[in-house]
Structure formats: C-alpha cells, structure tokens
C-alpha cells in the first residue's frame, strides 16, 4: 500500500480500475487471493471488496458481489440523488462478478453471510457497530477493560448509546474497579439514566460488545485496529454465559467495594497482593487491574510498609501469612441471579 494515492484511482466500486478488476475477478473465481496480490490495488480493501480470511490473515477473500452492491447503492441514494445512472452500471458490474463465483471453494467466507467476519480498520469497525446498533431492539451487554474511561473514549460511542436508549434498549456494562474514579464515566451514566446499569470487578476479560444475544464484537489484535464480528449462535451463546457469570460476581457501581477486614489495606491492594502471590510482574498486574505501572508500584510499596516486609520475598511470605494470597470472596447483592436489579443502576 506504500506510495498509493487516492487520486491515482479516482473511481468507485461500480467501475474498478483494470488492475483491481483483475485481482477481484481472480478472488471471486478462486475463493481467495494472497494478501500481497492486493498491495498495488488498495482500493479493493478500502471499498470493502476484499477482506482478511478469518482462518489465515495472509489471504484475502472476496465480499459477495450482491452484498457490496446493496451497501454501495444505499450510500449512492443517500449521498447523491442525481447519480441514478451509476446504479445501472453497479448492477451490471456486480452481476458479472457474481457469475464468476459459481461454487468456488471458499465462497462460504463471503462477508454478508459468514458467521465470523474480520473487520480491518477503525472505519470498518465503526460502520459494523453502527449497523448492529440500528438493528438492536432489546439488549446490549458490554465489557470495558482498562482504567479510568477518558472523555473522548466515552463520547465516541455516545451517539449509539443515545439511539439505543431512545428505542428502549437496556444496557449492562462491566468495568474494572478503578473505573469508579473517573468523573467522565459518572457523567455518562448520569446522562443515560435507567437505560444503563454498571458493575465493576478487579479484573475483566478483553473488550466485548453483544447486541440482542445474536451478534458479538471482540478485538482481533492487540492494538484493536482489527475486530471480529461473530454471529455463530454457539459462539455468541458462550460469550453471553461468560458475561452473565462475571456480572454475578461484580459489584454494583453504587455499592461500596468489599472490606478487606485487614486494617490499612485497601481492596485494590488486596487484589495486587493476590496477583503478586501468583508470581506476576508489576506490568502484568497493572494491565489486569487497569492502572498504571507507577500506581501499581506505589500500592506495592504501601503494602510492604503495612505488612512490615523489607523485600519482595518477605512480602510474599507476609501476604500468605495474613491470607491475602487469594481473591476476595464475592459479595451477595440483590438480584444476583444474572438479571438486572435496582442496586446496580447508575447514579441519578
């Protein structure tokens, strides 16, 4: 993709350049093409005609021509009402591509019908989330890992949350305990009112968004520039079960965190102690609890001082002696059968 400029390919998907036409036609006939085949025609990825193969990221599979046609024509009608003449050429072009596919191996990876779709790039992820939001009618479940939620992070999805609230959709969110200290999150929950319920845990799984228990979104790489859209009923049901079990263990946002019953040791320090006892390094502990490494080390220093430990080895011994080498037992809250309850609702 190096050196490609948009003005070198001044076209839409209804009239591809010659090079892109050859690559896409080959992908439709064969079911997939090596990723490097599209290096000189990045327009195919930008237009969504090719996308990564979920089974092997070094290959690209074609989006079904009918799916692309439907998506593009909707945009044409919305953006340029005077461009009806392009509709005919788009239909003709994609009918021709559809005829090339036949029963080619790999056709089951088509983006429109696949139970697992790879979304490559923030714009594709955003578009898929917007589409799922529009179709959602009942419930959204989310897991939001990390530390204090920044204002810009919350505002990115605010339009979707407000649209869901307007349609009476219920939302349940899981966060790390440290997120309780962010004013931005409290402001967001105040704005959403009864539409959103929130709970927190020491540790949560990676980011997860579930719409109506039929479609789920999870990260596909470490920097979250790629995501997986999952529609397989078995996978989605499994993720719902994971969420519900975490929800039952979580503490409602309006409830205080459980007391460690050890004077001078906070709930967060108890969590750090348990992870230290498991042998984790500072950076790993910080990531899992959603805090900075610097903050983590400050807590470890206070923990050492409170327990009278002069070294890490001695600290490990003292943690075991006072019983901090395991996670705090879950508390019992009203409605912890996995269903939403009044206690976990947000600040008004």
């Amino acid at each position: 993709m190096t050196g490609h400029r948009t003005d070198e390919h001044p076209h839409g998907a209804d009239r591809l350049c010659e090079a892109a036409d050859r690559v896409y036609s080959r992908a439709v006939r064969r079911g997939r093409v090596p990723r490097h085949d599209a290096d000189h025609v990045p327009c195919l990825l930008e237009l969504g005609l090719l996308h990564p193969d979920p089974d092997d990221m070094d290959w690209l599979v074609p989006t079904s021509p009918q799916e692309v046609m439907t998506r593009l024509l909707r945009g044409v009608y919305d953006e340029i009402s005077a461009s009806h003449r392009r509709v005919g050429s788009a239909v003709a072009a994609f009918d021709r591509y559809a005829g090339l596919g036949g029963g080619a191996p790999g056709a089951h990876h088509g983006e429109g019908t696949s139970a697992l779709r790879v979304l490559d790039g923030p714009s594709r992820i955003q578009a898929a989330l917007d589409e799922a939001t529009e179709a959602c009618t009942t419930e959204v479940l989310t897991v939001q890992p990390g530390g204090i939620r920044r204002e810009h992070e919350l505002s990115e999805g605010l339009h979707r949350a407000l649209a869901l609230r307007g349609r009476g959709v219920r939302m349940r969110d899981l966060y790390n305990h440290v997120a309780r200290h962010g004013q931005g999150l409290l402001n967001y929950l105040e704005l959403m009112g009864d539409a959103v319920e929130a709970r927190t845990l020491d540790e949560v799984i990676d980011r997860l968004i579930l719409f109506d228990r039929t479609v789920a979104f999870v990260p596909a790489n470490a920097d979250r520039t790629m995501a997986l859209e999952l529609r397989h009923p078995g996978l989605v049901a499994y993720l719902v079960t994971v969420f519900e079990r975490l929800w039952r263990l979580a503490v409602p946002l309006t409830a205080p965190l459980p007391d460690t019953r050890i004077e001078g040791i906070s709930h967060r320090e108890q969590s750090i102690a348990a992870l230290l006892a498991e042998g984790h390094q500072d950076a790993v502990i910080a990531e899992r609890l959603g805090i900075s490494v610097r903050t983590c080390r400050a807590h470890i220093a206070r923990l050492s001082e409170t327990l009278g430990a002069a070294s890490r080895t001695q600290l490990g011994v003292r943690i075991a002696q006072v019983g901090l080498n395991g996670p705090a037992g879950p508390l019992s809250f009203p409605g912890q059968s996995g269903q939403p309850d009044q206690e976990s609702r947000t600040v008004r």
Side-chain angles (χ1 to χ4, degrees), residues 73-135:
L73 293 186
R74 183 169 61 241
V76 169
Y77 280 121
D78 290 342
E79 296 174 6
I80 311 174
S81 60
S83 62
H84 291 298
R85 61 182 180 80
R86 295 180 59 193
V87 174
S89 60
V91 172
F94 287 110
D95 280 348
R96 182 168 68 86
Y97 291 135
L100 297 174
H108 62 282
H109 290 302
E111 189 172 347
T113 58
S114 178
L116 190 157
R117 182 165 64 136
V118 179
L119 305 171
D120 194 350
S123 62
R124 300 288 305 284
I125 296 171
Q126 182 71 46
L129 287 172
D130 287 342
E131 183 179 345
T133 298
E134 291 176 10

Side-chain angles (χ1 to χ4, degrees), residues 177 201-203 249 258-262 266-278 280 288-289 319 322-331:
H177 286 324
L201 280 168
D202 281 323
E203 302 177 56
L249 294 172
D259 187 359
T260 64
R261 296 180 175 82
I262 300 177
S266 68
H267 185 274
R268 186 181 300 176
E269 287 164 0
Q270 181 180 20
S271 301
I272 291 173
L275 293 172
L276 282 171
E278 293 177 10
H280 297 294
R288 288 176 61 168
L289 298 183
I319 285 173
V322 299
L324 288 175
N325 54 333
L331 298 183

Side-chain angles (χ1 to χ4, degrees), residues 60-347:
L60 299 173
V61 294
T63 301
S64 67
Q66 294 89 344
E67 165 75 5
V68 178
M69 181 183 70
T70 301
R71 187 170 65 224
L72 289 176
L73 293 186
R74 183 169 61 241
V76 169
Y77 280 121
D78 290 342
E79 296 174 6
I80 311 174
S81 60
S83 62
H84 291 298
R85 61 182 180 80
R86 295 180 59 193
V87 174
S89 60
V91 172
F94 287 110
D95 280 348
R96 182 168 68 86
Y97 291 135
L100 297 174
H108 62 282
H109 290 302
E111 189 172 347
T113 58
S114 178
L116 190 157
R117 182 165 64 136
V118 179
L119 305 171
D120 194 350
S123 62
R124 300 288 305 284
I125 296 171
Q126 182 71 46
L129 287 172
D130 287 342
E131 183 179 345
T133 298
E134 291 176 10
C136 183
T137 60
T138 306
E139 177 187 55
V140 178
L141 310 176
T142 74
V143 178
Q144 304 288 356
I148 293 175
R149 305 283 289 167
R150 306 301 178 190
E151 291 284 356
H152 75 275
E153 293 175 330
L154 293 165
S155 62
E156 284 176 359
L158 183 59
H159 68 288
R160 289 194 296 271
L162 291 173
L164 291 164
R165 186 188 69 173
R167 297 201 301 275
V169 174
R170 305 291 297 176
M171 290 165 270
R172 284 190 282 156
D173 299 336
L174 277 171
Y175 300 92
N176 288 96
H177 286 324
V178 70
R180 291 167 169 256
H181 305 295
Q183 186 59 44
L185 175 60
L186 296 178
N187 293 341
Y188 164 76
L189 295 175
E190 179 74 22
L191 175 65
M192 296 303 296
D194 286 342
V196 176
E197 302 174 57
R199 291 185 178 185
T200 64
L201 280 168
D202 281 323
E203 302 177 56
V204 295
I205 57 175
D206 209 342
R207 196 173 307 279
L208 167 67
I209 307 176
L210 286 153
F211 292 92
D212 284 341
R213 305 190 178 212
T214 58
V215 56
F217 294 87
V218 297
N221 59 356
D223 59 7
R224 294 177 181 161
T225 57
M226 299 176 70
L228 297 180
E229 179 185 308
L230 308 173
R231 293 183 180 271
H232 189 287
L235 287 173
V236 174
Y238 177 82
L239 292 173
V240 169
T241 299
V242 170
F243 179 91
E244 294 291 4
R245 291 184 181 179
L246 290 175
W247 183 260
R248 286 195 293 271
L249 294 172
V251 182
L253 192 70
T254 52
L257 295 179
D259 187 359
T260 64
R261 296 180 175 82
I262 300 177
E263 186 177 354
I265 295 180
S266 68
H267 185 274
R268 186 181 300 176
E269 287 164 0
Q270 181 180 20
S271 301
I272 291 173
L275 293 172
L276 282 171
E278 293 177 10
H280 297 294
Q281 298 298 315
D282 297 355
V284 175
I285 295 172
E287 181 181 3
R288 288 176 61 168
L289 298 183
I291 59 179
S292 69
V293 175
R294 182 178 179 180
T295 298
C296 178
R297 288 171 177 163
H299 279 296
I300 292 173
R302 283 195 292 271
L303 190 61
S304 297
E305 182 178 357
T306 301
L307 296 179
S311 67
R312 281 295 185 100
T313 301
Q314 193 174 30
L315 177 59
V317 173
R318 294 292 296 133
I319 285 173
Q321 287 175 340
V322 299
L324 288 175
N325 54 333
L331 298 183
S332 176
F333 295 99
Q336 279 205 333
S337 61
Q339 298 302 318
D341 61 77
Q342 189 70 28
E343 264 305 305
S344 61
R345 290 180 183 171
T346 64
V347 181

